[in-house]
Amino acid sequence: VAAVIGRHQLARLLEGWGTGDGALHTRLTGRLRALVRSGHLPAGTRLPSERILAGALNVSRNTVGAAFDQLRGEGIFSSRRGDGTYVSLAGRHTLIRGDDRLRSFLTPLETTLPEATLAGTTLAEAHRGARIDLRSAALSGLDLVTAEIDRLRGADLTELVATHGYLPAGLPALRQAVAGYYTDLGLPTAEDQIVITSGAQQALRLVATALLEPGSPVLIEEPSFRGAIEVLRSAGARLIPVPSGPAGVDVAALRAAARAHRPVLVVIQSTVHNPTGSVLDASGRQALSDLGVPVLDDATLYDTLIDEPPGPALKPTAAYGGPVIMIGSASKSFWGGLRVGWLRADPATVATLTSVKGGEDLGTSVLAQLVTARLLPSVGLARDRRRAALGPARDTVTATVAELLPGWRFERPAGGASLWVRLPGPGATAFAQAAGRAGVALLPGPTFSCADGLDDYLRISFAPPLPDVLSGLHRAAAAWSAFTA
Ligand SMILES: Cc1ncc(COP(=O)(O)O)c(C=O)c1O
């Protein structure tokens, strides 16, 4: 069966293609050729039409036409009359290599800007000549991390180093500390309910591997975390989108979808949602617990909460009962570079997930776990620091977007480091291409959609230093007037 690649997905795979030397069509040809060679566009894939792709890339149809002609000449693409263009069967690979939603972590942006873009920017900016990257909302680490590493001495490790050091379920001291993390949030937890993982990203992967088969129906919020979509896709899940808005997942739609599709898993983010910044209220949590379907709640962003949710203190979703697996991480509170995350489940599920974890990597680095175990008791301090930085950044960014881009709509995020904005209409993928060429990189909505939808949304990160974010917003506003002119 031939795969079809949508225009938004292809635009994502091509990200950054427009920068560099040479004519646009030559660069496009080079990038498409490379995507075939690397297996990202496997043999037999049907490509979007030249007109549709030109629209998504915000270039003329001639540019795409010249690239396709060249690749047809090389035998890399083939066309069937009246039936579009395909990667030729001489393509090297037959399997899709990934969905490429996490590219912003893989490729730093090329930093030099074309002369034209620099006109009108301040000398300081021009001097930096920097392209501004507002794609990733990952935060830099806190100095608490370096301080803890400074305190660590060889003597602290003597007993550990005397063992073999393979701990698939995790370092006991860290499992206890994570159990304490949940207990303090109102969810009593024992050490045997915790598996330590290499980041929340691996926690997602372990659950997908343990619970899903190719074709398994999975309900997931639309929009959702791009890394979750990537993992679930590669496990072969059949993803069914359920709308999620400023109050979190639409519970009525979730119940209806659960009845209609009999999912094996429901994937949600209760606190705080990436990309919307929403928090699910207590009645929503109760509804999830009553669903009678295993729920995976990725609350990785919990420690970036800016506003206390109104009403009685919210507990983690698993505290409301039902088969709920919780995911968390030290990435947002302390530092993503620790690569330490965790899962909380019932002991039987923990046993299954531990054996999957063993097969993946035999355990997360004990050194990183030890540092995290010593940091976790200070999570309250880390939350205060995050709130002190993110609160003012959010307020400045929302005020600036409201002023510069009055046609864009958004809700104030309750936490996290990004703003989810709604454009007046579709075209976010094409606009992100135009903005990228004007010196600011943004993520278009389809990156967060399992259905290649949401092309009327954009995510703006405010994790970089605020002056850079503000320059980026000015460039975005200039690009938007040119785009809509
Ligand atoms: C919702 C969500 N889950 C998981 C992750 C991955 O986190 P980690 O660094 O712990 O792998 C992120 C990172 O941005 C995230 O936003």
Side-chain angles (χ1 to χ4, degrees):
V1 190
V4 178
I5 185 156
R7 63 195 149 139
H8 300 134
Q9 191 182 344
L10 186 51
R12 204 155 57 228
L13 285 168
L14 284 165
E15 199 191 87
W17 73 275
T19 58
D21 295 329
L24 274 181
H25 69 84
T26 315
R27 281 183 256 153
L28 184 58
T29 308
R31 283 296 298 276
L32 286 167
R33 192 190 292 113
L35 288 174
V36 173
R37 299 251 156 92
S38 65
H40 286 87
L41 288 178
T45 304
R46 186 189 168 147
L47 296 147
S49 75
E50 294 176 10
R51 182 181 57 79
I52 297 259
L53 183 59
L57 298 178
N58 193 225
V59 293
S60 79
R61 189 170 165 180
N62 288 343
T63 301
V64 177
F68 277 29
D69 282 347
Q70 172 69 28
L71 292 166
R72 274 190 285 263
E74 294 176 21
I76 291 176
F77 285 0
S78 62
S79 286
R80 303 177 201 169
R81 194 184 299 268
D83 188 31
T85 302
Y86 290 76
V87 176
S88 91
L89 292 173
R92 286 201 204 172
H93 300 278
T94 55
L95 285 177
I96 296 176
R97 292 283 180 264
D99 209 10
D100 225 42
R101 288 169 197 265
L102 300 172
R103 175 167 287 273
S104 61
F105 291 104
L106 312 182
T107 48
L109 286 186
E110 291 187 39
T111 50
T112 22
L113 280 176
E115 286 295 316
T117 312
L118 294 176
T121 55
T122 66
L123 197 59
E125 280 176 344
H127 189 66
R128 266 188 289 158
R131 218 167 261 284
I132 296 170
D133 192 348
L134 304 184
R135 296 175 302 168
S136 169
L139 301 164
S140 44
L142 293 184
D143 57 6
L144 298 172
V145 177
T146 35
E148 197 53 57
I149 291 169
D150 273 345
R151 269 197 286 279
L152 201 62
R153 300 158 57 90
D156 297 320
L157 286 158
T158 313
E159 277 182 31
L160 276 172
V161 175
T163 70
H164 58 55
Y166 293 98
L167 297 165
L171 182 69
L174 180 57
R175 295 177 78 196
Q176 275 160 27
V178 175
Y181 172 98
Y182 283 115
T183 304
D184 290 347
L185 293 177
L187 174 62
T189 301
E191 188 185 325
D192 67 353
Q193 289 176 277
I194 303 295
V195 187
I196 305 301
T197 59
S198 295
Q201 188 63 30
Q202 188 188 42
L204 290 163
R205 162 109 26 220
L206 298 183
V207 174
T209 307
L211 300 191
L212 304 181
E213 312 241 344
S216 293
V218 173
L219 302 186
I220 183 164
E221 287 169 289
E222 174 84 341
S224 188
F225 171 51
R226 51 197 172 127
I229 300 173
E230 178 99 13
V231 161
L232 295 165
R233 273 265 164 77
S234 68
R238 185 161 65 83
L239 295 181
I240 300 151
V242 178
S244 188
V249 67
D250 178 336
V251 170
L254 185 66
R255 283 204 194 96
R259 274 196 302 274
H261 298 283
R262 303 186 172 278
V264 298
L265 185 68
V266 173
V267 178
I268 63 127
Q269 299 172 72
S270 68
T271 340
V272 173
H273 188 283
N274 175 3
T276 68
S278 72
V279 174
L280 188 67
D281 69 10
S283 70
R285 287 165 202 242
Q286 190 61 60
L288 281 171
S289 293
D290 296 343
L291 215 52
V293 177
V295 172
L296 179 62
D297 182 4
D298 177 359
T300 290
L301 266 63
Y302 184 89
D303 300 314
T304 66
L305 208 51
I306 302 170
D307 302 327
E308 279 306 321
L314 287 178
K315 293 180 182 168
T317 308
Y320 297 77
V324 179
I325 301 175
M326 302 291 310
I327 289 182
S329 174
S331 291
K332 306 297 163 177
S333 46
F334 295 105
W335 187 38
L338 288 166
R339 304 309 305 127
V340 172
W342 53 79
L343 284 153
R344 181 205 182 272
D346 61 88
T349 306
V350 161
T352 306
L353 292 168
T354 302
S355 79
V356 179
K357 164 78 178 167
E360 291 254 323
D361 62 9
L362 291 173
T364 294
S365 157
V366 170
L367 198 52
Q369 293 190 68
L370 184 62
V371 173
T372 310
R374 294 165 62 121
L375 283 167
L376 214 48
S378 319
V379 72
L381 184 57
R383 286 176 190 145
D384 292 344
R385 297 263 182 96
R386 293 306 190 192
R387 185 176 294 123
L390 292 174
R394 173 193 64 181
D395 295 345
T396 308
V397 164
T398 50
T400 307
V401 172
E403 183 197 323
L404 298 179
L405 291 148
W408 292 10
R409 297 271 166 266
F410 57 84
E411 301 283 336
R412 246 165 88 91
S418 62
L419 191 65
W420 180 240
V421 300
R422 182 164 201 176
L423 308 182
T429 302
F431 171 63
Q433 296 276 329
R437 293 199 289 273
V440 56
L442 301 163
L443 285 178
T447 312
F448 304 90
S449 165
C450 70
D452 211 22
L454 304 173
D455 198 38
D456 47 346
Y457 285 89
L458 277 177
R459 194 187 77 167
I460 304 171
S461 162
F462 50 87
L466 200 50
D468 292 348
V469 176
L470 295 180
S471 304
L473 290 177
H474 279 93
R475 285 182 191 170
W480 180 249
S481 351
F483 184 76
T484 48

